[in-house]
Amino acid sequence: MGAGASLSICQSFSSIQVRHTTNKVSPELQFSREKSTFGVPLESLVEDAKQCGVPSLVIQMVEYLEVFGLERVGIFRVGGSANKIKELRQKYNQGEKVDLINDGDVDSVASLLKLFLKELPVAVFPDNISSGLLKTFQEHKINTTECIENLRQLLSCLPKAHQNLLQFLSAFLLKVATYSAVNFMTLENLAIVFGPALFK
C-alpha cells in the first residue's frame, strides 16, 4: 500500500474520529469534569504532560510499578483494595499530591492504572481503529509481512496522544513480561488482562 493510500486511510479515520468524539462528550460534561483526571479525553490530560506526551498520573503509576511490582505474582490479574483504589482515584481527580509509596500497594496501583484506561471516554484503540485491526488480522493471517505493514499504517492513524500512551504502555508491559518466570504474567496473559481496558 502506497503513501497516498495510507494518507487516505488516516483521513477517513480522522473524520470518523471527530464525529465519534463530538457525539460522545457533551459540553456540560466536559465542563463539570474539567479538573478530573479519570474519564476525560487523553488530549486534555496531555496538555499538562511534562514528558513524552503521556499523562503524569500514568507515568507516576508505571514508575511505582517498575520499582515495586515487576516481581509481583499475578500483577494486573490480582485485584487491589477497592477502598484504596477509590481513595487514590479521588486524590488524582481532586488534583491532590498522590504519594503511591505510602498510600498505595502494587495490586491497588495496578488496578488503578487499568481503571484509568477503562474510563477513557475514547479507548486507546478507538472503535474505528479496532475494526481496522480486526479486519487486518482476518484478511492477512497467512501473509505476516503484509499484516505487519497494514498494522503499522493503522497505528499511525491513532491520535498522537493515543500513540504516545500506547508506546509508553507497550514498553512497560514488555518489561513486566520479562519477569514472567517470577510474576507469571506472560505477554499473552497481559494481553488478556489489558484487552478490555484498551478496546471498547
Side-chain angles (χ1 to χ4, degrees), residues 6-190:
S6 176
L7 181 62
S8 167
I9 288 173
C10 286
Q11 286 171 340
S12 64
F13 280 142
S14 297
S15 62
I16 294 168
Q17 185 59 34
V18 169
R19 287 199 298 275
H20 183 67
T21 53
T22 50
N23 288 340
K24 204 152 187 175
V25 183
S26 68
E28 296 81 11
L29 186 60
Q30 284 177 327
F31 179 76
S32 66
R33 302 173 94 165
E34 209 169 38
K35 292 179 183 175
S36 295
T37 51
F38 282 73
V40 298
L42 263 181
E43 290 76 9
S44 62
L45 294 173
V46 170
E47 290 166 8
D48 302 326
K50 290 174 185 157
Q51 52 184 331
C52 66
V54 175
S56 56
L57 80 159
V58 173
I59 293 170
Q60 185 184 13
M61 287 189 273
V62 165
E63 286 177 349
Y64 172 86
L65 293 170
E66 282 182 332
V67 173
F68 299 103
L70 292 177
E71 296 186 0
R72 177 71 166 197
V73 174
I75 182 173
F76 294 114
R77 184 165 267 178
V78 177
S81 156
N83 286 339
K84 201 163 276 194
I85 294 164
K86 185 178 176 183
E87 181 186 310
L88 291 170
R89 182 184 183 279
Q90 192 172 352
K91 282 187 173 183
Y92 276 120
N93 269 343
Q94 292 173 348
E96 292 179 32
K97 185 172 171 54
V98 179
D99 180 357
L100 294 177
I101 294 173
N102 291 315
D103 298 336
D105 61 71
V106 170
D107 294 329
S108 297
V109 173
S111 296
L112 190 67
L113 179 59
K114 287 192 301 181
L115 180 65
F116 170 80
L117 296 170
K118 280 181 190 169
E119 289 191 0
L120 287 171
V122 177
V124 175
F125 290 101
D127 293 342
N128 51 316
I129 300 287
S130 298
S131 57
L133 291 172
L134 185 61
K135 189 177 176 190
T136 295
F137 282 121
Q138 288 169 340
E139 290 178 359
H140 303 288
K141 284 179 194 169
I142 301 162
N143 191 337
T144 310
T145 310
E146 200 170 323
C147 183
I148 290 170
E149 183 53 37
N150 280 11
L151 290 175
R152 278 200 182 115
Q153 288 176 358
L154 278 168
L155 294 177
S156 73
C157 295
L158 280 170
K160 189 65 179 160
H162 291 239
Q163 283 182 28
N164 292 340
L165 181 57
L166 180 62
Q167 190 172 5
F168 184 77
L169 282 175
S170 297
F172 168 59
L173 294 177
L174 277 169
K175 191 178 285 189
V176 172
T178 63
Y179 288 80
S180 62
V182 181
N183 63 31
F184 300 111
M185 293 305 286
T186 60
L187 281 175
E188 185 181 1
N189 288 340
L190 288 166

